[in-house]
Amino acid sequence: MQQQSEMRAAAERQLSDEHAGVQSMKTQHLHMQSALTDAAAGKAALAKANQELQAQLNQQSNLNSALISQLAEAQPKVSTCEKSSMTMGAGGEQQHIPACD
């Protein structure tokens, strides 16, 4: 009888230990699910922030292009001339004939 009682007590301890292990795994699983949910929320927030920054970058690029165009239109048109050749003038002097754009 005592042997059966000891075996029963050992089986109950083992069952209790296994139950505690299962409970621990369930708790770990819940923690991992929570961490994954947090990570997914963080990823979504980063994606949204990235989209907003990309939109701001595109807007700034468009503004820069418009400003460059306005500056190009506002600058006076300057003709550049370079001395391209030398010829002899009527009196024998050298003359430079500019090539202008």
Side-chain angles (χ1 to χ4, degrees):
M1 204 60 184
Q2 184 179 357
Q3 188 179 10
Q4 284 181 339
S5 180
E6 288 174 1
M7 288 175 58
R8 182 180 176 129
E12 287 177 355
R13 281 192 305 271
Q14 184 178 359
L15 184 61
S16 177
D17 290 346
E18 287 175 6
H19 180 71
V22 168
Q23 289 302 104
S24 175
M25 285 189 286
K26 283 182 180 179
T27 301
Q28 288 176 349
H29 179 72
L30 290 174
H31 286 299
M32 286 189 290
Q33 278 185 323
S34 177
L36 286 172
T37 301
D38 292 347
K43 183 179 177 182
L46 285 174
K48 183 177 180 183
N50 189 39
Q51 286 178 334
E52 291 172 358
L53 287 172
Q54 188 64 45
Q56 289 176 0
L57 179 62
N58 290 340
Q59 184 179 15
Q60 187 63 49
S61 179
N62 292 339
L63 287 172
N64 288 350
S65 294
L67 285 173
I68 289 169
S69 295
Q70 288 176 0
L71 283 172
E73 290 174 10
Q75 286 183 337
K77 304 292 184 210
V78 177
S79 171
T80 57
C81 295
E82 296 179 6
K83 296 178 182 173
S84 63
S85 62
M86 295 189 347
T87 61
M88 295 297 277
E93 73 279 359
Q94 288 187 347
Q95 293 180 337
H96 294 285
I97 301 175
C100 295
D101 294 339

